[in-house]
Amino acid sequence: MLKLFSRFLSVGIINTLIHWMVFAALYSMSIRQWLANLLAFIVAVTFSFFANARWTFKAEATTFRYVIFVAFMGMMAAGIGSFADHTHINPIITLISFSIISLIFGFIYSNFIVFKVKK
């Protein structure tokens, strides 16, 4: 499990860089945090999904798996961004919070649902 998490974390670091760069670009164009966070997530999650399918979980990257992964994680991205908008949280706090929360819940969701590791 530690090896899987280490690989997931490695992909997550690259995913986070992609997410943050897209979020910053969109937010600088006056796009609201909830939408900037959701769009940045969608861009980054595509990389993350395929990298984790192939490298972390060594599983087939199917359309169904992609859809359920993006739907779950996208709702989380939009929810955190929406909360940040309503409470006027600084965008950097939004990014850090989402990065931590999505790492933890993304791994659990990927490992036990999306890519379901066979014991």
Side-chain angles (χ1 to χ4, degrees), residues 49 62-73 109:
F49 174 79
T62 66
T63 301
F64 178 74
R65 286 177 169 165
Y66 180 78
V67 169
I68 65 169
F69 182 75
V70 171
F72 173 79
M73 299 297 286
Y109 188 69

Side-chain angles (χ1 to χ4, degrees), residues 1 4-5 7-9 11-12 15-16 41 45 48-49 52-53 56-57 65-66 68-77 80 97-117:
M1 182 77 71
L4 279 181
F5 186 75
R7 286 182 179 212
F8 190 85
L9 177 62
V11 171
N15 177 61
T16 298
F41 169 77
V45 77
S48 182
F49 174 79
N52 278 312
T56 304
F57 298 104
R65 286 177 169 165
Y66 180 78
I68 65 169
F69 182 75
V70 171
F72 173 79
M73 299 297 286
M75 285 187 287
M76 190 167 41
I80 290 169
S97 299
F98 179 73
S99 295
I100 294 167
I101 292 167
S102 69
L103 175 68
I104 295 164
F105 287 100
F107 178 73
I108 293 167
Y109 188 69
S110 294
N111 191 34
F112 294 107
I113 296 174
V114 177
F115 298 111
K116 201 168 190 180
V117 177

